[in-house]
Amino acid sequence: MYIKFDVFGRAMSVLRQDEQWLLFTDSGTGMRTRVFDVVIPPHLKEDELATYLDDIFHENASENHPHVVHVS
């Protein structure tokens, strides 16, 4: 199951597969592109993902998008 986030205005999702977290950029049309240059530590729990993504992508924060938000 994909866990969806708004990462400073960018739609992204995370998938747990084979004991690791995989990060994707979502196109908004149902297409996902794997992000290979960001590795999410496998020991992180699901409720820690937003904080981790905030730390990694904090340069993209703006007045309109100041936080990473978990999207249901």
Side-chain angles (χ1 to χ4, degrees), residues 6-40:
D6 177 324
V7 181
F8 304 112
R10 177 194 268 176
M12 301 187 91
S13 57
V14 177
L15 175 67
R16 182 75 175 185
Q17 183 177 37
D18 298 328
E19 301 299 318
Q20 61 182 326
W21 293 109
L22 306 178
L23 180 64
F24 298 85
T25 300
D26 295 341
S27 70
T29 62
M31 301 292 293
R32 290 185 176 92
T33 304
R34 174 87 187 272
V35 178
F36 288 98
D37 58 341
V38 173
V39 177
I40 300 172

